[in-house]
Amino acid sequence: VLAGGISFEFGDKVSFLPVELNISGDPNIVATDTLWLDKTFLNNSTTGSLTIINDGFKSLSIDSLIVNGDYFEGPSIETTLEPGQSVNTDISFTPEETGELFGEVLIYSNAPDEGAKKVILAGIGNGNTPPTVVLPVSAVELNDPYQTYRTFD
């Protein structure tokens, strides 16, 4: 409830009209429609952050968060967000095959206009071999202020 008033001036007369604004509403869940994860080498992982926001006027109860898709994982979440609050959750992508791969996150809540908020998950499995750097032990030397050299075995 917001209370206040409006003042009107007519010449030398001032009138005051009291006003009370009663705001009611529902919780509203907001999240991106698609979470793109980086191109990832096979059997390696990339993590992306999914932000869930309550931009409604009442508490948003997140009852469950379900991640579907063979190559995507995320935690289950049960929490309450007050109006204006948000929560971040990490979604990991570990491809085992090449190409574009898809999954989804379903967020079940008390938001009246959403049965379940759906977020598409997308990533690319990279079939190339990850780069490696090989240096012979004799090639690794470090200078220090005392002019001594170290090699690492």
Side-chain angles (χ1 to χ4, degrees), residues 2 9 28 32 47 57 76 79 106 116 135:
L2 299 173
E9 292 185 31
N28 187 47
T32 184
T47 301
F57 294 100
S76 59
T79 190
L106 297 174
L135 294 174

Side-chain angles (χ1 to χ4, degrees), residues 40-51:
T40 304
F41 291 109
L42 299 186
N43 300 308
N44 286 275
S45 291
T46 299
T47 301
S49 184
L50 175 63
T51 302

Side-chain angles (χ1 to χ4, degrees), residues 85-108:
Q85 286 186 321
S86 65
V87 65
N88 293 319
T89 186
D90 288 337
I91 305 294
S92 64
F93 172 55
T94 309
E96 295 176 7
E97 61 183 80
T98 61
E100 290 184 354
L101 303 169
F102 298 94
E104 67 181 7
V105 174
L106 297 174
I107 307 166
Y108 292 92

Side-chain angles (χ1 to χ4, degrees), residues 20-79:
E20 186 174 286
L21 182 60
N22 195 355
I23 299 175
S24 63
D26 293 313
N28 187 47
I29 188 167
V30 176
T32 184
D33 291 329
T34 304
L35 178 62
W36 285 96
L37 294 139
D38 291 335
K39 191 173 187 179
T40 304
F41 291 109
L42 299 186
N43 300 308
N44 286 275
S45 291
T46 299
T47 301
S49 184
L50 175 63
T51 302
I52 303 166
I53 303 166
N54 177 10
D55 78 345
F57 294 100
K58 289 185 179 176
S59 297
L60 174 70
S61 296
I62 297 174
D63 302 319
S64 66
L65 181 142
I66 299 170
V67 178
N68 295 317
D70 292 336
Y71 310 110
F72 299 92
E73 290 184 356
S76 59
I77 292 178
E78 292 181 28
T79 190

